[in-house]
Amino acid sequence: MSSTSQKHKDFVAEPMGEKPVMALAGIGEVLGKRLEEKGFDKAYVVLGQFLVLKKDEELFRDWLKDTCGANAKQQGDCYGCLKEWCDAFL
């Protein structure tokens, strides 16, 4: 397993609350703006899509690529972040 970023560690360390979408690992300013433009302005809205896709890695990665143009690393970072958060808090 690859090492996780500080952003990932910070995100999974506490409840999500009203964190912006850019708080998710793998989602920077450019992807964050693209997601916001499509209505995914908060991390919990992306979490909702993650759950609708039944936490399926392939489906979520494809959705992220199609929705905001995330590359493979960004997709994996975001998926891993949400999966670990769910394992801790759901």
Side-chain angles (χ1 to χ4, degrees), residues 21-54:
V21 70
M22 287 178 257
L24 288 162
I27 306 299
E29 194 169 334
V30 172
L31 297 184
K33 294 275 186 229
R34 290 177 188 162
L35 286 165
E36 287 174 355
E37 288 168 4
K38 296 190 174 168
F40 297 91
D41 58 332
K42 300 285 186 186
Y44 70 80
V45 183
V46 177
L47 172 67
Q49 183 65 28
F50 178 78
L51 296 174
V52 164
L53 297 172
K54 299 182 178 181

Side-chain angles (χ1 to χ4, degrees), residues 1-5 8-9 61 73 76-77 80 84:
M1 177 101 190
S2 62
S3 64
T4 55
S5 66
H8 174 111
K9 291 173 187 167
R61 281 173 168 265
K73 181 180 183 328
D77 288 350
E84 189 174 327

